């Protein structure tokens, strides 16, 4: 990769998980872990200090979950990319993460090569979503077109749907 390394922040309430992901990402010369946080509010606060390019954000965390953390970060630092990195495939979580501007939604059972690829893709402006997240988006659009629901799509959601159509 040309230029500087991608600066990543890991937001997860499990210290051992943050340390493990940090060690795995350290194997890639194109990625540097700039900071880690134990909840969404801490991640938001650390964005000002560490200026990451990408935040890997868990959903379920104490005090401030990843959905709220994503909202806080994207409202104040729209250039920072947020990847939801979770064990949960819940439709509500997916919908909320997308509504607040997450550029990725991947599951923690992904392999380390996949995780590094997702970080690099999202950093370069290519959103990456787990199949379940894409299914949820397609279902929401289908419901909207059939009159069952009205869904406002964020710019990220519109971009993803246009890429799916292409």
């Amino acid at each position: 990769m040309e230029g500087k390394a991608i600066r990543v922040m890991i937001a997860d309430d499990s210290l051992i998980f943050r340390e493990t992901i940090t060690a795995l990402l350290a194997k890639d010369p194109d990625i540097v872990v700039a900071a880690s946080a134990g909840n969404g509010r801490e991640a938001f606060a650390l964005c000002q200090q560490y200026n990451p390019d990408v935040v890997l954000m868990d959903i379920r965390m104490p005090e401030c979950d990843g959905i709220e953390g994503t909202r806080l970060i994207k409202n104040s630092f729209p250039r920072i990319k947020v990847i939801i990195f979770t064990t949960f495939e819940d439709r509500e979580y997916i919908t909320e993460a997308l509504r607040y501007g997450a550029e990725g939604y991947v599951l923690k059972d992904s392999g380390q090569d996949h995780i590094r690829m997702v970080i690099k893709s999202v950093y370069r402006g290519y959103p990456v979503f787990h199949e379940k997240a894409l299914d949820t988006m397609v279902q929401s659009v289908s419901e909207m077109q059939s009159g069952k629901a009205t869904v406002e799509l964020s710019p990220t959601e519109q971009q993803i749907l246009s890429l799916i159509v292409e």
Side-chain angles (χ1 to χ4, degrees):
M1 196 174 112
E2 65 286 338
K4 67 179 185 85
I6 302 167
R7 297 175 49 77
V8 175
M9 179 190 302
I10 301 165
D12 195 287
D13 57 325
S14 168
L15 176 59
I16 189 72
F17 182 79
R18 291 192 311 261
E19 289 174 343
T20 301
I21 292 299
T22 298
L24 292 174
L25 294 178
K27 296 177 181 180
D28 191 317
D30 295 331
I31 297 173
V32 62
V33 176
S36 69
N39 65 58
R41 187 165 286 109
E42 185 181 354
F44 169 68
L46 291 173
C47 282
Q48 179 73 36
Q49 183 177 355
Y50 291 98
N51 193 31
D53 299 305
V54 176
V55 176
L56 282 180
M57 180 80 74
D58 188 21
I59 286 188
R60 288 195 182 170
M61 294 182 284
E63 298 174 42
C64 179
D65 68 19
I67 301 298
E68 179 64 10
T70 298
R71 186 188 71 76
L72 290 169
I73 290 168
K74 295 305 287 184
N75 282 345
S76 295
F77 308 100
R79 66 149 207 87
I80 295 176
K81 310 287 189 200
V82 177
I83 301 169
I84 300 297
F85 193 47
T86 186
T87 57
F88 300 100
E89 298 179 32
D90 182 273
R91 179 178 177 164
E92 186 176 329
Y93 288 144
I94 295 167
T95 302
E96 290 297 304
L98 295 174
R99 177 175 293 126
Y100 292 129
E103 288 89 358
Y105 193 105
V106 295
L107 299 182
K108 286 183 177 178
D109 64 359
S110 301
Q112 59 181 306
D113 290 338
H114 180 71
I115 293 165
R116 289 194 295 262
M117 182 277 302
V118 168
I119 290 169
K120 290 175 183 183
S121 294
V122 167
Y123 172 74
R124 291 184 180 122
Y126 302 105
V128 178
F129 291 87
H130 182 268
E131 181 180 350
K132 179 79 169 180
L134 289 175
D135 290 346
T136 296
M137 290 168 36
V138 170
Q139 185 176 359
S140 294
V141 170
S142 176
E143 289 173 358
M144 182 179 67
Q145 290 174 341
S146 67
K148 293 180 185 173
T150 39
V151 178
E152 290 186 33
L153 299 178
S154 71
T156 302
E157 291 170 321
Q158 291 172 1
Q159 181 183 12
I160 293 162
L161 285 175
S162 69
L163 291 171
I164 291 170
V165 170
E166 287 177 21

